Amino acid sequence: AQKVTQAQTEISVVEKEDVTLDCVYETRDTTYYLFWYKQPPSGELVFLIRRNSFDEQNEISGRYSWNFQKSTSSFNFTITASQVVDSAVYFCALSEAYNQGGKLIFGQGTELSVKP
Amino acid sequence: DAGVIQSPRHEVTEMGQEVTLRCKPISGHDYLFWYRQTMMRGLELLIYFNNNVPIDDSGMPEDRFSAKMPNASFSTLKIQPSEPRDSAVYFCASSLNTAYNEQFFGPGTRLTVL
């Protein structure tokens, strides 16, 4: 069965600290996709990144970076030099290729609080 | 380009009343999803459509919930009769035609059932 686990419910850091949000997934499918979404206090869900199961290259986008490791079924998200505007709930999600249209299975989310 | 549009943004109703939530997906997207977000259950998929046809409604909690997509640019989620435990934020999302494509979410409808 497919499952996404975000073990960290809440994380609090001080501005400029680096922070890593953990995501562990379970799937029987060999082709799948992993996503991160951000939900700021305003409530909307914002897409951050997508990764497919055949591409284990890490990705960096500005202060954001993602580490995908199939061996440990993890897709972790690091924010470097965090800022107050990074405060939000972050969701990791899984989509299996056999599911037409990409039914997303979300983790429970990690609430990140960045204090000035 | 307009994103996913949902209405109303907030709805307060009394137990037993009918509630209808509306969604307009991004033009050209083949898939439409309805999610519910609560503190207890997190984000859960209720139902999704492909080309206006319901594909998977296994997440619909019970018969009080129904969803329709009469055309490519409009969908509704109806709760009748509503109950306090239905209070949640309901999101609509749309995506292009493969599991690879990200889903774009609407702003959500915050439903409060008194």
Side-chain angles (χ1 to χ4, degrees), chain A residues 6 35-49 88-93 104-110, chain B residues 3-4 6 9 26 33-38 42-45 89-94 102-109:
Chain A
Q6 295 178 255
F35 301 80
W36 276 94
Y37 282 84
K38 174 182 180 179
Q39 186 174 39
S42 51
E44 73 274 21
L45 280 153
V46 179
F47 165 76
L48 294 178
I49 192 172
V89 180
Y90 291 87
F91 291 94
C92 180
L104 280 176
I105 306 300
F106 283 91
Q108 286 298 100
T110 297
Chain B
V4 176
Q6 290 187 249
R9 295 292 307 276
I26 294 172
F33 306 81
W34 282 100
Y35 291 89
R36 179 172 68 175
Q37 184 177 32
T38 62
L43 271 162
E44 51 181 347
L45 178 68
V89 179
Y90 291 81
F91 287 101
C92 176
S94 69
E102 67 269 29
Q103 294 179 20
F104 293 86
F105 283 76
T109 296

Side-chain angles (χ1 to χ4, degrees), chain A residues 13-18 81-86 113-116:
Chain A
V13 299
V14 176
E15 209 170 18
K16 298 184 183 176
E17 284 186 28
D18 298 347
S82 60
Q83 299 177 2
V84 172
V85 292
D86 296 326
S113 176
V114 181
K115 301 188 186 306

Side-chain angles (χ1 to χ4, degrees), chain B residues 5 40 50 52 60 70 99 105:
Chain B
I5 299 172
M40 291 297 295
N50 175 24
N52 314 336
M60 296 285 262
F105 283 76

Side-chain angles (χ1 to χ4, degrees), chain B residues 43-92:
Chain B
L43 271 162
E44 51 181 347
L45 178 68
L46 300 178
I47 184 171
Y48 76 93
F49 296 82
N50 175 24
N51 290 326
N52 314 336
V53 176
I55 302 300
D56 183 349
D57 65 354
S58 59
M60 296 285 262
E62 47 198 275
D63 292 345
R64 297 184 298 106
F65 286 69
S66 62
K68 294 182 180 179
M69 192 166 185
N71 57 61
S73 59
F74 183 66
S75 177
T76 60
L77 178 67
K78 186 176 292 187
I79 309 173
Q80 165 63 21
S82 57
E83 296 183 4
R85 58 192 168 127
D86 302 329
S87 296
V89 179
Y90 291 81
F91 287 101
C92 176

